[in-house]
Amino acid sequence: MTSDPLAPLDLAFWNIDSDRHPMHLGALGVFAAHSPTAGAHAADLLAARAAAVPGLRMRIRDSWRPLAFGGAAREPDPHFDPLDHVRLHAPTGDFQQAAGRLMQRPLQRGRPPWEAHVLPGTDGTSFAVLFKFHHALADGLRALALAAAVLDPTDLPTRRPRPPEPARGPLPDVRGLPGMLRGALSDVGRALDIGASVAVSTLGMKTTPALTSAPSGSRRTAGVVVDIDDVHRIRKAEGGTVNDVVIAVVAGALRRWLDQRGDGSDGVAPRALIPVSTRRPRTAHPPGNRLSGYLIRLPVGDPDPLARLAAVRTAMDRNKDAGPGRGAGAVALLADHVPALGHRLGGPLVAQAARLWFDILVTSVPLPGLGLKLGGHRLTAVYPYAPLARGQSLAVAVSTYRGGVHYGLVADAEAVPDLDLLARAVTEEVAALTAVCDP
């Protein structure tokens, strides 16, 4: 396997990484155990299977070559040892508490940036695995593919091979120059549009203290599962998409949580970044982040749950009409216009600017509809975790799996010591929406 230069957005994630704000994705999978030794057996399986997955052997090395000065590339680690990445822990009675402590630990940058932590349950009837992948190694789709490669084989449909690209000479085909020129001009216009939209989005900005914090480096996680049938019932009654309902639930849960902790929710409308994958279906497996995003104001201050849902639906429809290449949420696309050295030198500045761009991340991570297993043990729940940007206290990731919508919450442990209350508010908000939607 040869060296693979990091795409511009991957390089950005690699350079904004820090000890207090590590840029890794996470997913906590909970499995039903057949015996008290199931966790240990799972750890052995993960280590053995990881050795055979090429993508898990890739480390990231800085490049100082003249044509790639300041960049970085993925390359095989000649000293790769799966036991450096798969770790079996002592039994625990609280998977989420253990996951929070592990999520705050940065990945070691000198070796392939991923880990799998096996957490046996004290009751002997379950165990959990926390997967961590650096965002420069994998986006959500790629992380899913890497994790699936070490789980039990499934009967997934065979992906048709991608046809080879035609060979290119040292000079560009002159027949394509007009299109290339139009594309370059379009990119410049798009960059200016995105920059202007970001500037406008900060006007009249009212920060939400509960969602901003000084970085402590600590992490707390929580998870909650709601019935997918309830979400569909709400969607069918009010229109929109499942994702609209998922986002509206976050807005309502934030309102309940803020009121419960005495912070007050009147007039609160935090800016939520909703990442959008720009991958095409046939390019889902090659590495490299392909992300844009939508930026919306969460209607936390509105007391009516149906009005909140309608506001989210309207905002999302407006974003979709404009497309993922326009608007303040598409800042990630600007990474393509920054040279490698610019990413390296500007990484700290970009990290500081995240809090000026959005207040909370709400992202969806796709999962296969098939039941997953590890060592024959059934996956019963999976909670995705998103990185926490500098100066922000909370991030929300959501996955739909086997009849449930799984919310994974990550927070700064010092700023949000009551994350369990927010998780409970998610369940309460779904119940409230279902009640007003039922005839």
Side-chain angles (χ1 to χ4, degrees), residues 176-410:
L177 289 178
M180 294 169 60
L181 179 59
R182 287 194 300 269
L185 292 175
S186 175
D187 285 346
V188 171
R190 182 172 59 181
L192 292 174
D193 172 79
I194 294 171
S197 298
V198 171
V200 170
S201 72
T202 63
L203 296 176
M205 181 184 65
K206 179 181 178 181
T207 60
T208 306
L211 300 180
T212 58
S213 67
S216 72
S218 60
R219 293 291 180 271
R220 187 183 302 273
T221 65
V224 61
V225 183
V226 299
D227 195 327
I228 187 65
D229 289 340
D230 289 339
V231 173
H232 281 304
R233 191 176 299 118
I234 297 166
R235 177 190 60 81
K236 290 176 181 177
E238 299 301 318
T241 67
V242 167
N243 202 41
D244 293 341
V245 178
V246 165
I247 297 169
V249 166
V250 173
L254 287 173
R255 178 180 176 84
R256 294 172 182 274
W257 175 62
L258 290 172
D259 288 343
Q260 289 173 6
R261 64 184 351 223
D263 289 342
S265 57
D266 291 342
V268 174
R271 297 160 304 166
L273 177 64
I274 316 295
V276 177
S277 174
T278 58
R279 283 185 183 277
R280 296 178 180 177
R282 298 187 67 182
T283 60
H285 285 290
N289 281 278
R290 297 292 184 270
L291 291 174
S292 182
Y294 298 142
L295 197 68
I296 71 170
R297 294 272 184 174
L298 293 181
V300 173
D302 196 318
D304 182 353
L306 292 184
R308 289 195 294 268
L309 176 55
V312 167
R313 179 183 174 186
T314 299
M316 289 297 289
D317 285 346
R318 188 182 302 115
N319 275 289
K320 291 172 187 174
D321 288 343
R326 299 282 180 180
V331 167
L333 298 177
L334 299 183
D336 291 337
H337 302 277
V338 179
L341 187 59
H343 281 295
R344 183 171 298 277
L345 298 178
L349 181 61
V350 172
Q352 293 283 359
R355 66 189 305 172
L356 301 177
W357 176 25
F358 64 96
D359 302 301
I360 183 173
L361 180 74
V362 183
T363 184
S364 295
V365 182
L367 288 176
L370 300 174
L372 300 174
K373 295 182 179 180
L374 177 57
H377 303 282
R378 182 170 52 91
L379 178 66
T380 60
V382 57
Y383 304 100
Y385 302 132
L388 198 59
R390 183 183 297 272
Q392 297 172 348
S393 302
L394 179 67
V396 181
V398 188
S399 286
T400 301
Y401 177 72
R402 306 293 284 179
V405 180
H406 297 66
Y407 285 80
L409 312 178
V410 177

Side-chain angles (χ1 to χ4, degrees), residues 7 9 14 28 33 50 64 95 104 109 114 125-127 138 151 153 195 200 209 218 228 302 324 331 381 395 403:
L9 189 53
W14 188 243
L28 180 70
W64 300 107
F95 294 141
Q104 72 188 31
R109 293 170 69 92
W114 69 273
T125 63
S126 63
F127 68 90
L151 298 179
V200 170
S218 60
I228 187 65
D302 196 318
V331 167

Side-chain angles (χ1 to χ4, degrees), residues 96-116:
Q96 291 289 350
Q97 184 180 64
R101 291 195 300 267
L102 293 169
M103 281 296 291
Q104 72 188 31
R105 299 180 187 175
L107 295 167
Q108 293 194 25
R109 293 170 69 92
R111 60 193 186 197
W114 69 273
E115 293 173 351

Side-chain angles (χ1 to χ4, degrees), residues 97-193:
Q97 184 180 64
R101 291 195 300 267
L102 293 169
M103 281 296 291
Q104 72 188 31
R105 299 180 187 175
L107 295 167
Q108 293 194 25
R109 293 170 69 92
R111 60 193 186 197
W114 69 273
E115 293 173 351
H117 297 270
V118 181
L119 308 166
T122 52
D123 58 5
T125 63
S126 63
F127 68 90
V129 180
L130 174 67
F131 289 101
K132 294 167 57 178
F133 296 96
H134 198 285
H135 220 327
L137 179 70
D139 61 6
L141 286 173
R142 177 66 174 168
L144 172 62
L146 291 173
V150 293
L151 298 179
D152 292 355
T154 56
D155 296 325
L156 294 174
T158 303
R159 180 176 295 273
R160 291 188 301 173
R162 188 181 181 189
E165 295 185 359
R168 296 180 180 179
L171 297 176
D173 188 340
V174 294
R175 293 171 296 180
L177 289 178
M180 294 169 60
L181 179 59
R182 287 194 300 269
L185 292 175
S186 175
D187 285 346
V188 171
R190 182 172 59 181
L192 292 174
D193 172 79

